[in-house]
Amino acid sequence: METDLLPMIAAERRRTADLIDSLTPAQLDTPSLCQAWTVREVAGHLVSPLVSTPWRLLPLLVGAGFRPHVANARLARRVARRPPAELAAALREHADHRFRLPVVGWLGQLTGLQVHGQDIRRPLGLPADLDPERLRISLDFLTGGRAVGFVDRRRVAGLRVEATDLGWSAGDGPVVRGPGAALLLALTGRRVALADLTGDGVARLAAG
């Protein structure tokens, strides 16, 4: 059942809170792997759906010309102005929040938390430190054709993806092989992780 994902989502939020608490001001202001956001702004993005109400979002949406992605980015930057300790505390306080992403549901929420965790960790030279079970679930999601907004299905269709450290694979065709954490990033468009992958399918994945 998809509700079985809720404890995993809560664990990822608490793990992210611990990470934020451990960072220096310079690390928090480091550019992340996610668009033009800093590490601090990625944290703001993860906190914003947990502390915002729909009536507060409406003015942002109107001001963004009813473009949800623009409104979301503005909200993330606004929430990121809070002290880091407050951001971490919000993640812990609302760890069990049942926020559910449209279309992709809790699978998308679990995957987004893991991806954004790597958006923070990788530029800072920190180990991926991902839970193998949760990582396998997200890799299944990303390669299963349902990850709308996460993956360009045209790039992934017809590839065989293999996580060398998880004993996990999916698909048939030219191979893309590497650590699960690198696959998580590469499948979601973080090109920096392509250097960690091997196989005759990497060029096709990189072409998107």
Side-chain angles (χ1 to χ4, degrees):
M1 293 177 61
E2 196 176 357
T3 52
D4 293 340
L5 299 175
L6 292 173
M8 300 182 186
I9 291 169
E12 284 296 325
R13 287 178 180 143
R14 294 186 182 101
R15 194 169 75 93
T16 303
D18 291 343
L19 173 60
I20 293 167
D21 271 339
S22 74
L23 300 180
T24 67
Q27 287 175 314
L28 288 162
D29 290 332
T30 298
S32 77
L33 296 184
C34 187
Q35 303 172 22
W37 287 353
T38 64
V39 166
R40 185 189 305 270
E41 288 164 344
V42 173
H45 168 67
L46 295 177
V47 170
S48 59
L50 309 180
V51 299
S52 302
T53 55
W55 67 268
R56 287 183 177 175
L57 296 178
L58 184 58
L60 277 174
L61 189 59
V62 172
F66 292 95
R67 292 170 294 173
H69 291 296
V70 174
N72 182 47
R74 290 178 180 175
L75 178 61
R77 292 189 173 99
R78 177 180 295 181
V79 174
R81 296 172 190 156
R82 302 183 181 192
E86 187 176 325
L87 296 174
L91 284 168
R92 290 193 187 93
E93 180 183 351
H94 301 287
D96 295 309
H97 196 295
R98 294 170 71 93
F99 170 69
R100 184 185 178 100
L101 286 168
V103 182
V104 293
W106 286 315
L107 274 169
Q109 179 69 8
L110 176 65
T111 301
L113 283 161
Q114 292 183 89
V115 171
H116 286 314
Q118 300 315 300
D119 286 338
I120 292 172
R121 287 175 175 274
R122 181 148 182 154
L124 297 177
L126 300 175
D129 193 30
L130 287 163
D131 177 87
E133 180 185 4
R134 298 197 285 266
L135 179 54
R136 287 189 190 96
I137 289 171
S138 287
L139 290 174
D140 282 337
F141 168 66
L142 292 173
T143 56
R146 296 177 296 160
V148 178
F150 283 82
V151 173
D152 183 341
R153 284 183 291 181
R154 295 168 298 178
R155 288 195 300 139
V156 177
L159 292 177
R160 177 172 176 80
V161 184
E162 299 178 357
T164 54
D165 54 345
L166 297 175
W168 173 93
S169 63
D172 294 295
V175 173
V176 177
R177 181 185 296 113
L183 293 172
L184 182 78
L185 289 175
L187 288 168
T188 53
R190 277 69 171 172
R191 301 182 66 84
V192 67
L194 292 169
D196 298 338
L197 305 178
T198 60
D200 51 0
V202 174
R204 178 172 160 184
L205 187 63

